[in-house]
Amino acid sequence: MQERLSSLVSKFFEKDFKGSFAVPGSAKTRRGYVAMYVGEEGKRCEVPVKYLSNPVFQELLRRSQNQDLDGKIEGAIRIPHSTAFFYQFLRIVKEYF
């Protein structure tokens, strides 16, 4: 299963993603979830916190963030990938848990 997730992330990062993000609002997030803003349109998604322990999900986050972060994310988490990819990725991660 982890190889499948790794392959999906690797294929996705072979492409070049550009564009600006919508500025996220201050909507409340449910307990046990983390808000992420996906795609150029900045669609808000809530992801279970337990998914963050998955090494492949961590790699997705690492590759999605600015290289200057030194492992620290401040502010909203933005994922510069299409929402279709992100939802497919979440379905696969859900199978892992």
Side-chain angles (χ1 to χ4, degrees):
M1 178 64 69
Q2 193 145 345
E3 291 104 26
R4 184 175 171 196
L5 288 170
S6 294
S7 173
L8 184 61
V9 170
S10 294
K11 284 181 187 177
F12 191 72
F13 281 101
E14 290 172 1
K15 298 179 181 178
D16 183 28
F17 294 94
K18 297 178 182 173
S20 61
F21 293 97
V23 177
S26 61
K28 277 200 142 202
T29 305
R30 294 180 289 167
R31 174 174 259 168
Y33 289 79
V34 62
M36 296 183 181
Y37 298 88
V38 182
E40 291 182 20
E41 68 278 2
K43 181 170 174 57
R44 187 175 189 277
C45 300
E46 290 185 353
V47 177
V49 171
K50 68 181 180 178
Y51 288 7
L52 301 179
S53 65
N54 182 302
V56 178
F57 201 92
Q58 291 171 6
E59 182 66 14
L60 174 72
L61 291 175
R62 187 185 67 75
R63 291 185 183 193
S64 297
Q65 303 305 311
N66 188 348
Q67 297 299 324
D68 301 332
L69 287 178
D70 298 328
K72 184 177 179 183
I73 297 175
E74 294 180 8
I77 299 173
R78 294 182 176 94
I79 307 293
H81 317 302
S82 71
T83 53
F85 165 81
F86 191 69
Y87 288 139
Q88 180 182 6
F89 183 80
L90 287 178
R91 279 192 296 274
I92 293 169
V93 170
K94 185 178 179 179
E95 291 176 14
Y96 181 76
F97 284 95

